[in-house]
Amino acid sequence: MKTFQDLVKETLEVQDLEELESAADLFQFGIEKGHYNKRQADQFNVTYWKMKNTYLAYEVAKEIKGNKLDIISMVTSAPTEIKDDKKELLNYINGRVKALKGKMNGMK
């Protein structure tokens, strides 16, 4: 079993969502075997969502033009239940982008 720090380090270096899910599966296995504690579970969860939100934002940015940092922020604030459905996530982000454009145009 990998040490917790090695697992987090490797999770931060994943190249795609598939690798991220593999890291999550490995961590879940470690939890079930009692290798990791609650504090480590919380820390891994933060790392996992940081990486997942970033990769989801890059996927969304391929279809929605806009500032990547803004898209990452919107994906991060999106409800968790829609993050696994790309179509729903795209609709959510499109709605947010349109709402922001409307507010910005109204300021002129």
Side-chain angles (χ1 to χ4, degrees):
M1 181 58 40
K2 294 181 186 232
T3 67
F4 179 72
Q5 291 305 322
D6 288 341
L7 182 60
V8 169
K9 182 180 175 193
E10 288 179 18
T11 301
L12 289 169
E13 295 172 353
V14 297
Q15 299 297 314
D16 57 31
L17 285 172
E18 189 174 314
E19 285 183 31
L20 182 62
E21 294 305 323
S22 294
D25 290 342
L26 185 60
F27 183 74
Q28 183 62 36
F29 178 76
I31 287 287
E32 290 170 1
K33 295 295 182 184
H35 295 288
Y36 306 120
N37 61 38
K38 169 90 170 93
R39 183 188 56 78
Q40 290 169 323
D42 292 342
Q43 185 179 348
F44 183 83
N45 195 35
V46 168
T47 302
Y48 171 84
W49 280 106
K50 174 183 173 185
M51 297 305 295
K52 184 164 185 169
N53 288 332
T54 301
Y55 281 112
L56 287 173
Y58 284 127
E59 290 293 316
V60 167
K62 290 177 185 175
E63 298 187 32
I64 298 174
K65 300 300 175 213
N67 182 311
K68 283 191 172 79
L69 292 176
D70 289 340
I71 293 174
I72 290 171
S73 177
M74 289 178 218
V75 168
T76 299
S77 65
T80 303
E81 55 272 4
I82 70 168
K83 290 183 181 181
D84 287 329
D85 184 348
K86 187 174 179 182
K87 184 178 176 183
E88 234 182 295
L89 184 59
L90 282 170
N91 287 336
Y92 175 84
I93 300 301
N94 263 327
R96 299 294 303 142
V97 168
K98 288 177 184 175
L100 287 174
K101 283 183 182 176
K103 286 181 181 178
M104 292 173 76
N105 289 339
M107 293 174 64
K108 289 183 180 178

